[in-house]
Amino acid sequence: MKGKGDAMLKSTLAALLSSLVCVALFARQPPRSPAGQAAAAVNPTGELRQIVPGHYVYSFTTYNSGIIVTSEGLVVLDALNSEATARAQREAMASTIRQPVRALVSSTFHDNYSKGNVAYADVLKIGHENYRTDLLELMRRGNVSAGEQRARLPNQTFRDRMTLYLGGKEIQILHVGRAHTRGDSIVFVPQDRIVYLSELYFANQFLFIND
């Protein structure tokens, strides 16, 4: 049964990649200078840009968060490195896109993409089951408070794939095996032919395979 499921998932991924016209990537950019990093620590505000109609990216220092726009609200991909950064992103989305956030999909459990989850307590938080397990272990090792643990953990997990239907859009959330971490998610919007890769793609360098 597992072999059949793996084959189906690989077939889906192959079809996905072969059909893409436009790809939105959460590319990790080259690191900033120490002065730039210090400035970012003081000012958590990033930049919100439209990639194509219905799809935005919010960039902060070397990291990016994707935004899928539907007629019923937004789906955010990765919440970045702090509550302050995530709240700045939410303010930018509210003033520019003017749609409520309905769901947060998280891919990398590392602090730079999970500390911002705290700012999304009011939405459905989704992550792979390994993402949840590894994030919980990371926070326990770091003696993170129980309250912050609850705020950062997803309240919906999946094993191979799940699909959201929101505002007339089909949003596929896929797990295709270990990559940057063992709980990475790929988000695919078939009708727009857009895929969000999170940290499965690094700009100008080979993918860092770690956890």
Side-chain angles (χ1 to χ4, degrees):
M1 188 72 179
K2 182 178 179 182
K4 183 177 180 181
D6 289 345
M8 183 178 298
L9 195 57
K10 289 177 181 177
S11 175
T12 299
L13 181 60
L16 180 159
L17 293 176
S18 66
S19 69
L20 294 180
V21 169
C22 181
V23 180
L25 301 170
F26 298 5
R28 178 183 290 199
Q29 304 299 326
R32 288 190 174 188
S33 66
Q37 292 175 357
V42 174
N43 180 11
T45 303
E47 178 188 9
L48 179 66
R49 294 176 291 122
Q50 181 175 264
I51 304 303
V52 295
H55 296 269
Y56 287 74
V57 62
Y58 185 83
S59 301
F60 176 74
T61 66
T62 61
Y63 304 103
N64 299 300
S65 170
I67 302 116
I68 300 169
V69 182
T70 81
S71 62
E72 296 179 8
L74 311 178
V75 177
V76 174
L77 298 312
D78 287 335
L80 301 183
N81 66 326
S82 71
E83 181 178 0
T85 302
R87 293 202 181 282
Q89 177 177 350
R90 293 199 68 170
E91 290 174 6
M93 293 186 295
S95 63
T96 301
I97 308 174
R98 299 181 180 178
Q99 288 270 26
V101 178
R102 298 301 187 192
L104 169 69
V105 180
S106 298
S107 182
T108 302
F109 72 89
H110 300 143
D111 284 344
N112 55 355
Y113 275 118
S114 68
K115 282 191 171 183
N117 292 5
V118 174
Y120 290 89
D122 58 325
V123 309
L124 175 65
K125 296 196 291 292
I126 301 167
H128 187 264
E129 56 188 26
N130 290 339
Y131 168 87
R132 189 183 192 282
T133 298
D134 292 342
L135 176 57
L136 183 57
E137 177 61 23
L138 175 72
M139 292 190 292
R140 285 175 173 169
R141 290 200 311 264
N143 296 315
V144 173
S145 70
E148 183 177 338
Q149 288 184 34
R150 287 192 297 271
R152 288 171 65 180
L153 287 171
N155 42 36
Q156 175 74 56
T157 63
F158 68 99
R159 178 161 297 173
D160 296 318
R161 63 186 299 161
M162 68 177 290
T163 303
L164 300 177
Y165 295 94
L166 186 67
K169 285 193 175 180
E170 175 185 339
I171 301 170
Q172 299 178 11
I173 307 169
L174 310 171
H175 177 69
V176 294
R178 182 185 292 271
H180 182 57
T181 73
R182 68 189 189 116
D184 297 311
S185 295
I186 291 174
V187 178
F188 178 45
V189 186
Q191 72 187 70
D192 297 336
R193 303 173 79 178
I194 293 286
V195 62
Y196 292 86
L197 299 179
S198 189
E199 288 200 302
L200 274 76
Y201 175 87
F202 281 47
N204 303 318
Q205 67 183 86
F206 187 76
L207 170 67
F208 181 58
I209 300 173
N210 183 31
D211 298 309

mmCIF file of all heavy atoms in Angstrom, residues 132-174:
data_model
loop_
_atom_site.group_PDB
_atom_site.id
_atom_site.type_symbol
_atom_site.label_atom_id
_atom_site.label_comp_id
_atom_site.label_asym_id
_atom_site.label_seq_id
_atom_site.Cartn_x
_atom_site.Cartn_y
_atom_site.Cartn_z
ATOM 1 N N ARG A 132 5.371 19.123 12.927
ATOM 2 C CA ARG A 132 4.872 19.335 14.285
ATOM 3 C C ARG A 132 5.763 18.638 15.316
ATOM 4 O O ARG A 132 6.125 19.224 16.350
ATOM 5 C CB ARG A 132 3.436 18.833 14.418
ATOM 6 C CG ARG A 132 2.781 19.222 15.738
ATOM 7 C CD ARG A 132 1.383 18.641 15.886
ATOM 8 N NE ARG A 132 0.688 19.244 17.008
ATOM 9 C CZ ARG A 132 0.893 18.938 18.288
ATOM 10 N NH1 ARG A 132 1.806 18.012 18.603
ATOM 11 N NH2 ARG A 132 0.222 19.540 19.248
ATOM 12 N N THR A 133 6.133 17.395 15.036
ATOM 13 C CA THR A 133 6.977 16.633 15.958
ATOM 14 C C THR A 133 8.324 17.315 16.172
ATOM 15 O O THR A 133 8.792 17.473 17.309
ATOM 16 C CB THR A 133 7.203 15.208 15.421
ATOM 17 O OG1 THR A 133 5.941 14.535 15.336
ATOM 18 C CG2 THR A 133 8.132 14.415 16.329
ATOM 19 N N ASP A 134 8.951 17.746 15.083
ATOM 20 C CA ASP A 134 10.285 18.339 15.181
ATOM 21 C C ASP A 134 10.242 19.737 15.792
ATOM 22 O O ASP A 134 11.163 20.128 16.522
ATOM 23 C CB ASP A 134 10.942 18.377 13.801
ATOM 24 C CG ASP A 134 11.263 16.980 13.281
ATOM 25 O OD1 ASP A 134 11.299 16.037 14.096
ATOM 26 O OD2 ASP A 134 11.460 16.824 12.060
ATOM 27 N N LEU A 135 9.195 20.497 15.498
ATOM 28 C CA LEU A 135 9.058 21.818 16.113
ATOM 29 C C LEU A 135 8.857 21.682 17.618
ATOM 30 O O LEU A 135 9.457 22.425 18.406
ATOM 31 C CB LEU A 135 7.888 22.577 15.479
ATOM 32 C CG LEU A 135 7.556 23.943 16.092
ATOM 33 C CD1 LEU A 135 8.767 24.869 16.072
ATOM 34 C CD2 LEU A 135 6.373 24.580 15.362
ATOM 35 N N LEU A 136 8.040 20.731 18.022
ATOM 36 C CA LEU A 136 7.807 20.516 19.451
ATOM 37 C C LEU A 136 9.102 20.129 20.159
ATOM 38 O O LEU A 136 9.419 20.649 21.238
ATOM 39 C CB LEU A 136 6.741 19.436 19.644
ATOM 40 C CG LEU A 136 6.323 19.134 21.088
ATOM 41 C CD1 LEU A 136 5.811 20.387 21.783
ATOM 42 C CD2 LEU A 136 5.277 18.038 21.119
ATOM 43 N N GLU A 137 9.880 19.254 19.546
ATOM 44 C CA GLU A 137 11.155 18.841 20.136
ATOM 45 C C GLU A 137 12.126 20.019 20.222
ATOM 46 O O GLU A 137 12.826 20.195 21.229
ATOM 47 C CB GLU A 137 11.763 17.713 19.304
ATOM 48 C CG GLU A 137 13.137 17.245 19.769
ATOM 49 C CD GLU A 137 13.147 16.690 21.190
ATOM 50 O OE1 GLU A 137 12.081 16.248 21.675
ATOM 51 O OE2 GLU A 137 14.226 16.707 21.820
ATOM 52 N N LEU A 138 12.170 20.834 19.173
ATOM 53 C CA LEU A 138 13.036 22.015 19.173
ATOM 54 C C LEU A 138 12.678 22.956 20.317
ATOM 55 O O LEU A 138 13.560 23.459 21.032
ATOM 56 C CB LEU A 138 12.903 22.748 17.834
ATOM 57 C CG LEU A 138 13.653 24.078 17.705
ATOM 58 C CD1 LEU A 138 15.155 23.842 17.590
ATOM 59 C CD2 LEU A 138 13.148 24.867 16.491
ATOM 60 N N MET A 139 11.399 23.190 20.506
ATOM 61 C CA MET A 139 10.962 24.118 21.549
ATOM 62 C C MET A 139 11.198 23.544 22.943
ATOM 63 O O MET A 139 11.562 24.272 23.869
ATOM 64 C CB MET A 139 9.491 24.480 21.339
ATOM 65 C CG MET A 139 9.246 25.313 20.088
ATOM 66 S SD MET A 139 7.572 26.000 19.982
ATOM 67 C CE MET A 139 6.602 24.508 19.737
ATOM 68 N N ARG A 140 11.014 22.252 23.096
ATOM 69 C CA ARG A 140 11.275 21.636 24.402
ATOM 70 C C ARG A 140 12.751 21.720 24.761
ATOM 71 O O ARG A 140 13.111 21.998 25.909
ATOM 72 C CB ARG A 140 10.793 20.189 24.393
ATOM 73 C CG ARG A 140 9.275 20.055 24.489
ATOM 74 C CD ARG A 140 8.816 18.624 24.346
ATOM 75 N NE ARG A 140 7.377 18.501 24.595
ATOM 76 C CZ ARG A 140 6.668 17.410 24.329
ATOM 77 N NH1 ARG A 140 7.262 16.343 23.796
ATOM 78 N NH2 ARG A 140 5.371 17.378 24.579
ATOM 79 N N ARG A 141 13.618 21.483 23.771
ATOM 80 C CA ARG A 141 15.060 21.603 24.020
ATOM 81 C C ARG A 141 15.437 23.036 24.377
ATOM 82 O O ARG A 141 16.375 23.265 25.142
ATOM 83 C CB ARG A 141 15.864 21.155 22.793
ATOM 84 C CG ARG A 141 15.812 19.661 22.515
ATOM 85 C CD ARG A 141 16.987 19.241 21.624
ATOM 86 N NE ARG A 141 17.141 20.097 20.462
ATOM 87 C CZ ARG A 141 16.644 19.831 19.263
ATOM 88 N NH1 ARG A 141 15.926 18.733 19.069
ATOM 89 N NH2 ARG A 141 16.850 20.653 18.255
ATOM 90 N N GLY A 142 14.717 23.990 23.809
ATOM 91 C CA GLY A 142 15.002 25.391 24.074
ATOM 92 C C GLY A 142 14.264 25.956 25.270
ATOM 93 O O GLY A 142 14.312 27.169 25.508
ATOM 94 N N ASN A 143 13.579 25.093 26.023
ATOM 95 C CA ASN A 143 12.822 25.522 27.209
ATOM 96 C C ASN A 143 11.823 26.637 26.889
ATOM 97 O O ASN A 143 11.642 27.577 27.668
ATOM 98 C CB ASN A 143 13.780 25.983 28.321
ATOM 99 C CG ASN A 143 14.653 24.854 28.829
ATOM 100 O OD1 ASN A 143 14.171 23.746 29.068
ATOM 101 N ND2 ASN A 143 15.945 25.120 28.989
ATOM 102 N N VAL A 144 11.187 26.521 25.737
ATOM 103 C CA VAL A 144 10.159 27.483 25.342
ATOM 104 C C VAL A 144 8.926 27.272 26.215
ATOM 105 O O VAL A 144 8.560 26.135 26.535
ATOM 106 C CB VAL A 144 9.814 27.303 23.847
ATOM 107 C CG1 VAL A 144 8.626 28.165 23.448
ATOM 108 C CG2 VAL A 144 11.028 27.630 22.993
ATOM 109 N N SER A 145 8.291 28.345 26.610
ATOM 110 C CA SER A 145 7.135 28.253 27.502
ATOM 111 C C SER A 145 6.003 27.458 26.854
ATOM 112 O O SER A 145 5.885 27.390 25.625
ATOM 113 C CB SER A 145 6.628 29.646 27.861
ATOM 114 O OG SER A 145 6.040 30.263 26.733
ATOM 115 N N ALA A 146 5.160 26.886 27.702
ATOM 116 C CA ALA A 146 4.030 26.095 27.204
ATOM 117 C C ALA A 146 3.101 26.948 26.351
ATOM 118 O O ALA A 146 2.557 26.487 25.340
ATOM 119 C CB ALA A 146 3.267 25.482 28.377
ATOM 120 N N GLY A 147 2.932 28.207 26.743
ATOM 121 C CA GLY A 147 2.062 29.096 25.980
ATOM 122 C C GLY A 147 2.588 29.353 24.584
ATOM 123 O O GLY A 147 1.824 29.334 23.608
ATOM 124 N N GLU A 148 3.888 29.586 24.469
ATOM 125 C CA GLU A 148 4.472 29.811 23.142
ATOM 126 C C GLU A 148 4.443 28.535 22.316
ATOM 127 O O GLU A 148 4.222 28.578 21.102
ATOM 128 C CB GLU A 148 5.909 30.318 23.257
ATOM 129 C CG GLU A 148 6.530 30.623 21.895
ATOM 130 C CD GLU A 148 7.929 31.192 21.973
ATOM 131 O OE1 GLU A 148 8.292 31.745 23.028
ATOM 132 O OE2 GLU A 148 8.668 31.078 20.964
ATOM 133 N N GLN A 149 4.643 27.397 22.966
ATOM 134 C CA GLN A 149 4.563 26.131 22.239
ATOM 135 C C GLN A 149 3.194 25.971 21.592
ATOM 136 O O GLN A 149 3.083 25.628 20.411
ATOM 137 C CB GLN A 149 4.842 24.956 23.176
ATOM 138 C CG GLN A 149 6.290 24.829 23.615
ATOM 139 C CD GLN A 149 6.530 23.599 24.464
ATOM 140 O OE1 GLN A 149 5.898 22.561 24.254
ATOM 141 N NE2 GLN A 149 7.433 23.697 25.427
ATOM 142 N N ARG A 150 2.146 26.237 22.361
ATOM 143 C CA ARG A 150 0.789 26.111 21.821
ATOM 144 C C ARG A 150 0.574 27.083 20.665
ATOM 145 O O ARG A 150 -0.080 26.756 19.671
ATOM 146 C CB ARG A 150 -0.247 26.364 22.921
ATOM 147 C CG ARG A 150 -0.365 25.237 23.934
ATOM 148 C CD ARG A 150 -1.591 25.416 24.811
ATOM 149 N NE ARG A 150 -1.521 26.642 25.611
ATOM 150 C CZ ARG A 150 -0.964 26.717 26.818
ATOM 151 N NH1 ARG A 150 -0.418 25.642 27.365
ATOM 152 N NH2 ARG A 150 -0.950 27.861 27.480
ATOM 153 N N ALA A 151 1.122 28.281 20.785
ATOM 154 C CA ALA A 151 0.916 29.306 19.762
ATOM 155 C C ALA A 151 1.662 28.999 18.465
ATOM 156 O O ALA A 151 1.234 29.417 17.387
ATOM 157 C CB ALA A 151 1.351 30.667 20.300
ATOM 158 N N ARG A 152 2.767 28.267 18.560
ATOM 159 C CA ARG A 152 3.573 27.990 17.367
ATOM 160 C C ARG A 152 3.214 26.682 16.671
ATOM 161 O O ARG A 152 3.455 26.525 15.471
ATOM 162 C CB ARG A 152 5.062 27.988 17.736
ATOM 163 C CG ARG A 152 5.609 29.369 18.028
ATOM 164 C CD ARG A 152 7.017 29.326 18.599
ATOM 165 N NE ARG A 152 8.000 28.800 17.655
ATOM 166 C CZ ARG A 152 9.298 28.678 17.937
ATOM 167 N NH1 ARG A 152 9.751 29.053 19.126
ATOM 168 N NH2 ARG A 152 10.136 28.188 17.040
ATOM 169 N N LEU A 153 2.646 25.742 17.406
ATOM 170 C CA LEU A 153 2.352 24.434 16.819
ATOM 171 C C LEU A 153 1.152 24.490 15.871
ATOM 172 O O LEU A 153 0.197 25.229 16.112
ATOM 173 C CB LEU A 153 2.070 23.416 17.920
ATOM 174 C CG LEU A 153 3.273 22.946 18.737
ATOM 175 C CD1 LEU A 153 2.804 22.106 19.918
ATOM 176 C CD2 LEU A 153 4.251 22.144 17.871
ATOM 177 N N PRO A 154 1.183 23.700 14.799
ATOM 178 C CA PRO A 154 0.009 23.626 13.917
ATOM 179 C C PRO A 154 -1.148 22.930 14.627
ATOM 180 O O PRO A 154 -0.936 22.072 15.485
ATOM 181 C CB PRO A 154 0.513 22.794 12.735
ATOM 182 C CG PRO A 154 1.625 21.966 13.290
ATOM 183 C CD PRO A 154 2.277 22.818 14.340
ATOM 184 N N ASN A 155 -2.366 23.311 14.279
ATOM 185 C CA ASN A 155 -3.533 22.609 14.825
ATOM 186 C C ASN A 155 -4.173 21.690 13.792
ATOM 187 O O ASN A 155 -5.222 21.105 14.036
ATOM 188 C CB ASN A 155 -4.567 23.590 15.398
ATOM 189 C CG ASN A 155 -4.771 24.804 14.531
ATOM 190 O OD1 ASN A 155 -4.724 24.702 13.310
ATOM 191 N ND2 ASN A 155 -4.982 25.954 15.151
ATOM 192 N N GLN A 156 -3.516 21.553 12.634
ATOM 193 C CA GLN A 156 -3.942 20.595 11.613
ATOM 194 C C GLN A 156 -2.685 20.018 10.975
ATOM 195 O O GLN A 156 -1.821 20.770 10.517
ATOM 196 C CB GLN A 156 -4.794 21.279 10.548
ATOM 197 C CG GLN A 156 -5.187 20.388 9.380
ATOM 198 C CD GLN A 156 -6.257 19.379 9.764
ATOM 199 O OE1 GLN A 156 -7.313 19.754 10.244
ATOM 200 N NE2 GLN A 156 -5.979 18.106 9.557
ATOM 201 N N THR A 157 -2.558 18.693 10.971
ATOM 202 C CA THR A 157 -1.408 18.057 10.331
ATOM 203 C C THR A 157 -1.885 17.112 9.234
ATOM 204 O O THR A 157 -3.067 16.773 9.145
ATOM 205 C CB THR A 157 -0.552 17.266 11.340
ATOM 206 O OG1 THR A 157 -1.330 16.202 11.897
ATOM 207 C CG2 THR A 157 -0.028 18.167 12.447
ATOM 208 N N PHE A 158 -0.941 16.686 8.395
ATOM 209 C CA PHE A 158 -1.251 15.737 7.329
ATOM 210 C C PHE A 158 -0.043 14.832 7.133
ATOM 211 O O PHE A 158 1.058 15.123 7.627
ATOM 212 C CB PHE A 158 -1.602 16.475 6.029
ATOM 213 C CG PHE A 158 -0.446 17.207 5.404
ATOM 214 C CD1 PHE A 158 0.271 16.653 4.355
ATOM 215 C CD2 PHE A 158 -0.057 18.455 5.877
ATOM 216 C CE1 PHE A 158 1.345 17.322 3.787
ATOM 217 C CE2 PHE A 158 1.015 19.133 5.316
ATOM 218 C CZ PHE A 158 1.717 18.563 4.273
ATOM 219 N N ARG A 159 -0.226 13.743 6.412
ATOM 220 C CA ARG A 159 0.862 12.786 6.197
ATOM 221 C C ARG A 159 1.447 12.891 4.786
ATOM 222 O O ARG A 159 2.642 13.082 4.621
ATOM 223 C CB ARG A 159 0.379 11.365 6.451
ATOM 224 C CG ARG A 159 1.445 10.290 6.210
ATOM 225 C CD ARG A 159 1.078 8.995 6.893
ATOM 226 N NE ARG A 159 1.022 9.176 8.345
ATOM 227 C CZ ARG A 159 0.603 8.236 9.184
ATOM 228 N NH1 ARG A 159 0.181 7.068 8.722
ATOM 229 N NH2 ARG A 159 0.586 8.469 10.476
ATOM 230 N N ASP A 160 0.640 12.736 3.767
ATOM 231 C CA ASP A 160 1.129 12.775 2.385
ATOM 232 C C ASP A 160 0.693 14.039 1.653
ATOM 233 O O ASP A 160 1.479 14.667 0.963
ATOM 234 C CB ASP A 160 0.652 11.548 1.610
ATOM 235 C CG ASP A 160 1.222 10.257 2.175
ATOM 236 O OD1 ASP A 160 2.420 10.253 2.510
ATOM 237 O OD2 ASP A 160 0.470 9.276 2.287
ATOM 238 N N ARG A 161 -0.576 14.377 1.798
ATOM 239 C CA ARG A 161 -1.095 15.553 1.111
ATOM 240 C C ARG A 161 -2.429 15.948 1.715
ATOM 241 O O ARG A 161 -3.119 15.134 2.330
ATOM 242 C CB ARG A 161 -1.272 15.276 -0.386
ATOM 243 C CG ARG A 161 -2.284 14.185 -0.706
ATOM 244 C CD ARG A 161 -2.293 13.856 -2.188
ATOM 245 N NE ARG A 161 -2.669 15.009 -2.980
ATOM 246 C CZ ARG A 161 -2.415 15.129 -4.281
ATOM 247 N NH1 ARG A 161 -1.767 14.173 -4.925
ATOM 248 N NH2 ARG A 161 -2.799 16.191 -4.948
ATOM 249 N N MET A 162 -2.785 17.207 1.559
ATOM 250 C CA MET A 162 -4.122 17.667 1.883
ATOM 251 C C MET A 162 -4.453 18.803 0.924
ATOM 252 O O MET A 162 -3.556 19.392 0.307
ATOM 253 C CB MET A 162 -4.247 18.118 3.340
ATOM 254 C CG MET A 162 -3.492 19.372 3.710
ATOM 255 S SD MET A 162 -3.781 19.872 5.449
ATOM 256 C CE MET A 162 -5.508 20.403 5.366
ATOM 257 N N THR A 163 -5.739 19.064 0.777
ATOM 258 C CA THR A 163 -6.175 20.080 -0.175
ATOM 259 C C THR A 163 -7.128 21.045 0.503
ATOM 260 O O THR A 163 -8.048 20.629 1.210
ATOM 261 C CB THR A 163 -6.876 19.434 -1.389
ATOM 262 O OG1 THR A 163 -5.988 18.491 -2.001
ATOM 263 C CG2 THR A 163 -7.259 20.493 -2.413
ATOM 264 N N LEU A 164 -6.884 22.336 0.290
ATOM 265 C CA LEU A 164 -7.803 23.376 0.735
ATOM 266 C C LEU A 164 -8.591 23.865 -0.473
ATOM 267 O O LEU A 164 -8.036 24.014 -1.569
ATOM 268 C CB LEU A 164 -7.037 24.560 1.337
ATOM 269 C CG LEU A 164 -6.154 24.308 2.561
ATOM 270 C CD1 LEU A 164 -5.436 25.598 2.947
ATOM 271 C CD2 LEU A 164 -6.973 23.785 3.725
ATOM 272 N N TYR A 165 -9.870 24.126 -0.272
ATOM 273 C CA TYR A 165 -10.697 24.745 -1.299
ATOM 274 C C TYR A 165 -11.202 26.051 -0.702
ATOM 275 O O TYR A 165 -12.020 26.059 0.214
ATOM 276 C CB TYR A 165 -11.860 23.834 -1.692
ATOM 277 C CG TYR A 165 -11.401 22.546 -2.344
ATOM 278 C CD1 TYR A 165 -11.208 21.394 -1.592
ATOM 279 C CD2 TYR A 165 -11.131 22.500 -3.712
ATOM 280 C CE1 TYR A 165 -10.767 20.217 -2.179
ATOM 281 C CE2 TYR A 165 -10.695 21.325 -4.311
ATOM 282 C CZ TYR A 165 -10.515 20.191 -3.539
ATOM 283 O OH TYR A 165 -10.069 19.022 -4.135
ATOM 284 N N LEU A 166 -10.676 27.146 -1.206
ATOM 285 C CA LEU A 166 -10.978 28.445 -0.613
ATOM 286 C C LEU A 166 -11.162 29.478 -1.718
ATOM 287 O O LEU A 166 -10.296 29.643 -2.581
ATOM 288 C CB LEU A 166 -9.828 28.872 0.311
ATOM 289 C CG LEU A 166 -10.029 30.145 1.127
ATOM 290 C CD1 LEU A 166 -11.130 29.944 2.169
ATOM 291 C CD2 LEU A 166 -8.730 30.548 1.827
ATOM 292 N N GLY A 167 -12.296 30.142 -1.693
ATOM 293 C CA GLY A 167 -12.543 31.216 -2.648
ATOM 294 C C GLY A 167 -12.394 30.807 -4.092
ATOM 295 O O GLY A 167 -11.897 31.575 -4.920
ATOM 296 N N GLY A 168 -12.815 29.586 -4.418
ATOM 297 C CA GLY A 168 -12.742 29.118 -5.791
ATOM 298 C C GLY A 168 -11.383 28.593 -6.206
ATOM 299 O O GLY A 168 -11.194 28.223 -7.370
ATOM 300 N N LYS A 169 -10.434 28.535 -5.274
ATOM 301 C CA LYS A 169 -9.107 28.016 -5.610
ATOM 302 C C LYS A 169 -8.854 26.686 -4.911
ATOM 303 O O LYS A 169 -9.213 26.499 -3.747
ATOM 304 C CB LYS A 169 -8.014 29.012 -5.211
ATOM 305 C CG LYS A 169 -7.910 30.202 -6.139
ATOM 306 C CD LYS A 169 -6.641 31.002 -5.913
ATOM 307 C CE LYS A 169 -6.532 32.119 -6.944
ATOM 308 N NZ LYS A 169 -5.308 32.932 -6.763
ATOM 309 N N GLU A 170 -8.224 25.793 -5.644
ATOM 310 C CA GLU A 170 -7.748 24.532 -5.077
ATOM 311 C C GLU A 170 -6.285 24.730 -4.693
ATOM 312 O O GLU A 170 -5.456 25.106 -5.525
ATOM 313 C CB GLU A 170 -7.867 23.410 -6.109
ATOM 314 C CG GLU A 170 -7.288 22.082 -5.635
ATOM 315 C CD GLU A 170 -7.316 21.021 -6.713
ATOM 316 O OE1 GLU A 170 -8.108 21.157 -7.672
ATOM 317 O OE2 GLU A 170 -6.530 20.059 -6.618
ATOM 318 N N ILE A 171 -5.980 24.478 -3.429
ATOM 319 C CA ILE A 171 -4.625 24.684 -2.922
ATOM 320 C C ILE A 171 -4.127 23.354 -2.369
ATOM 321 O O ILE A 171 -4.601 22.880 -1.336
ATOM 322 C CB ILE A 171 -4.599 25.776 -1.835
ATOM 323 C CG1 ILE A 171 -5.122 27.098 -2.409
ATOM 324 C CG2 ILE A 171 -3.187 25.952 -1.278
ATOM 325 C CD1 ILE A 171 -5.362 28.174 -1.371
ATOM 326 N N GLN A 172 -3.197 22.736 -3.071
ATOM 327 C CA GLN A 172 -2.672 21.431 -2.680
ATOM 328 C C GLN A 172 -1.435 21.606 -1.800
ATOM 329 O O GLN A 172 -0.517 22.353 -2.152
ATOM 330 C CB GLN A 172 -2.309 20.611 -3.913
ATOM 331 C CG GLN A 172 -3.475 20.312 -4.832
ATOM 332 C CD GLN A 172 -3.047 19.528 -6.061
ATOM 333 O OE1 GLN A 172 -1.928 19.022 -6.145
ATOM 334 N NE2 GLN A 172 -3.947 19.420 -7.034
ATOM 335 N N ILE A 173 -1.417 20.901 -0.683
ATOM 336 C CA ILE A 173 -0.272 20.920 0.230
ATOM 337 C C ILE A 173 0.331 19.523 0.198
ATOM 338 O O ILE A 173 -0.321 18.549 0.576
ATOM 339 C CB ILE A 173 -0.713 21.310 1.651
ATOM 340 C CG1 ILE A 173 -1.515 22.615 1.622
ATOM 341 C CG2 ILE A 173 0.505 21.455 2.566
ATOM 342 C CD1 ILE A 173 -2.214 22.931 2.929
ATOM 343 N N LEU A 174 1.573 19.421 -0.270
ATOM 344 C CA LEU A 174 2.174 18.125 -0.576
ATOM 345 C C LEU A 174 3.437 17.887 0.242
ATOM 346 O O LEU A 174 4.240 18.800 0.448
ATOM 347 C CB LEU A 174 2.533 18.052 -2.063
ATOM 348 C CG LEU A 174 1.439 18.432 -3.060
ATOM 349 C CD1 LEU A 174 2.015 18.518 -4.462
ATOM 350 C CD2 LEU A 174 0.302 17.424 -3.008
#
